[in-house]
């Protein structure tokens, strides 16, 4: 019910603000913002390069075209412009500076990043509706994940975004489950090791390994945290067999990024590696009920980027049952849920 109430509240706010269907479906402003971010306009303005002519020279763009883009951003309240033709940043415009500090761009809006390019695949949403094919692969001829593996800077930015979400919840996750009883864990798709490092700090007897596209980011995290004696990382894919024998296999924010067949493959590899007594631990935010998504925007992103979806607990439980896993327990951890799975007879 809360989701429907939120939807009604959003609709009411749109009506109160006078936002029209045209404004809600506008592509001009989002693309102008993305171009400005990709060209690092905010950073250049912040250090004093202010006119369209100077900004165009710095960015290798046409001065007339760039000025027209920037003037639109003045119109919508992202930039200011004075009588000398110098552009400045509004409070909203300053948000273009703050993702990882002034030197970095918001990775989801920078068109030079994998995530930024992925946003453009929404122009294929009609094709997805008609064919069910993954938009990213159709547009670029490769998968989002393969691109992320090849583009190390985008991969690093992606891991940082994921880590920030984890950092807000790590304390609750660490205390909501007896991680120490597992002895050893493999954080499958564990990114830069933020989750595992937090668990190891909270449970001194625990040891662990991160498996992800590249091992180096997690290894740096463990070294900086003084955890290298208890934690390591290996490069690999969870679509292939996993290192066996750990007490637990963690899947954090993984299941929504893949289609049903791939989720079964991932869970199946976890089950095989965990046999006979290991556990599979899913840490995630689940859709509240069939047909209702916690975050409808992210649900559509999962669809066009990867062919995934925001799943309900029951949908995940059904996929787990298909590969011989059953739910042992469910625990709340901040606004996420810890789902403990154990192998059963197939």
């Amino acid at each position: 019910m809360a989701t429907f109430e939120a939807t009604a509240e959003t609709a009411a706010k749109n009506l109160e603000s006078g936002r029209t269907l045209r404004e809600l479906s506008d592509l001009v402003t989002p693309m102008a913002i993305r171009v400005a971010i990709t060209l690092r306009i905010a950073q250049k303005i912040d250090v004093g390069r202010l006119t369209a002519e100077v900004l165009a020279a710095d960015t290798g763009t046409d001065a007339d075209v760039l000025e027209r883009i920037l003037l639109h951003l003045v119109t919508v309240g992202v930039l200011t412009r004075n009588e000398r033709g110098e552009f400045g940043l509004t409070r909203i415009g300053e948000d273009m500076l703050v993702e990882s500090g002034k030197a970095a761009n918001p990775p989801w809006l920078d068109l030079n990043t994998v995530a930024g390019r992925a946003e453009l695949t929404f122009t294929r949403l009609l094709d997805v509706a008609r064919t069910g094919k993954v938009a990213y692969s159709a547009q670029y001829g490769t998968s989002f994940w393969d691109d992320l593996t090849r583009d190390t800077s985008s991969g690093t930015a992606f891991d940082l975004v994921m880590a920030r979400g984890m950092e807000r919840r790590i304390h609750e996750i660490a205390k909501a489950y007896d991680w120490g009883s597992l002895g050893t864990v493999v954080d499958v798709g564990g990114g830069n090791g933020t989750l595992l490092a937090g668990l190891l700090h909270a449970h001194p007897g625990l040891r662990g390994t991160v498996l992800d596209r590249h091992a180096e980011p997690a290894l740096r995290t463990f070294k900086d945290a003084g955890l290298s004696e208890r934690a390591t990382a290996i490069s690999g894919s969870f679509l292939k067999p996993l290192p066996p024998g750990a007490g637990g296999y963690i899947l954090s924010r993984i299941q929504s990024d893949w289609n049903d067949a791939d989720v079964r493959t991932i869970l199946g590899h976890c089950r095989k590696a965990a046999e006979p007594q290991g556990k599979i631990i899913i840490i995630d935010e689940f859709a509240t009920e069939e047909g209702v998504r916690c975050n409808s925007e992210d649900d559509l992103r999962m669809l066009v980027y990867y062919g995934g979806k925001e799943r309900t607990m029951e949908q995940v439980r059904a996929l787990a049952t298909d590969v011989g896993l059953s739910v042992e327990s469910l625990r709340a951890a901040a606004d996420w849920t810890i789902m403990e799975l154990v192998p059963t007879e197939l």
Side-chain angles (χ1 to χ4, degrees), residues 199-212:
L199 296 180
L200 296 183
H201 277 306
H203 300 271
L206 186 65
R207 305 177 70 87
T209 299
V210 161
L211 181 145
D212 212 311

Side-chain angles (χ1 to χ4, degrees), residues 84-307:
R84 295 185 298 275
E86 298 169 335
F87 290 93
L89 302 174
T90 66
R91 182 189 60 78
I92 294 175
E94 289 174 354
D95 288 345
M96 294 190 285
L97 295 168
V98 299
E99 192 80 25
S100 304
K102 290 186 176 183
N105 281 340
W108 301 102
L109 299 177
D110 185 338
L111 298 175
N112 286 331
T113 67
V114 174
R117 293 196 299 273
E119 289 285 284
L120 300 183
T121 63
F122 271 99
T123 61
R124 289 180 173 265
L125 188 56
L126 179 60
D127 293 338
V128 176
R130 287 173 169 165
T131 69
K133 293 182 178 180
V134 179
Y136 192 98
S137 300
Q139 182 147 329
Y140 298 114
T142 186
S143 74
F144 176 92
W145 301 112
D146 286 344
D147 264 359
L148 205 63
T149 299
R150 283 192 288 266
D151 185 344
T152 55
S153 62
S154 286
T156 299
F158 181 88
D159 288 342
L160 285 173
V161 171
M162 297 299 103
R164 289 192 191 103
M166 187 60 68
E167 287 167 355
R168 297 194 297 270
R169 301 168 174 90
I170 186 64
H171 176 71
E172 294 297 321
I173 292 171
K175 73 177 185 179
Y177 185 84
D178 185 10
W179 299 100
S181 67
L182 299 175
T184 60
V185 296
V186 176
D187 190 354
V188 182
N192 66 7
T194 296
L195 171 60
L196 182 55
L199 296 180
L200 296 183
H201 277 306
H203 300 271
L206 186 65
R207 305 177 70 87
T209 299
V210 161
L211 181 145
D212 212 311
R213 304 177 308 273
H214 300 292
E216 291 78 9
L219 291 172
R220 286 195 296 270
T221 295
F222 300 145
K223 181 179 179 180
D224 293 344
L227 294 169
S228 295
E229 292 186 0
R230 295 167 53 206
T232 189
I234 56 176
S235 300
S237 168
F238 42 58
L239 295 176
K240 297 179 180 179
L242 301 172
Y249 291 80
I250 302 170
L251 295 169
S252 174
R253 300 296 287 163
I254 297 293
Q255 56 82 22
S256 59
D257 295 345
W258 301 87
N259 61 35
D260 286 355
D262 286 335
V263 173
R264 289 190 192 95
T265 296
I266 295 165
L267 289 172
H269 287 323
C270 288
R271 182 190 188 280
K272 182 66 175 177
E275 290 177 336
Q277 295 181 325
K279 301 178 185 296
I280 293 88
I281 315 294
I282 294 176
I283 306 172
D284 221 319
E285 178 184 30
F286 298 96
T288 55
E289 59 183 80
E290 189 67 41
V292 179
R293 303 292 179 236
C294 298
N295 187 325
S296 57
E297 285 189 14
D298 280 351
D299 184 51
L300 289 178
R301 285 192 175 94
M302 301 303 103
L303 174 67
V304 301
Y305 288 13
Y306 334 113

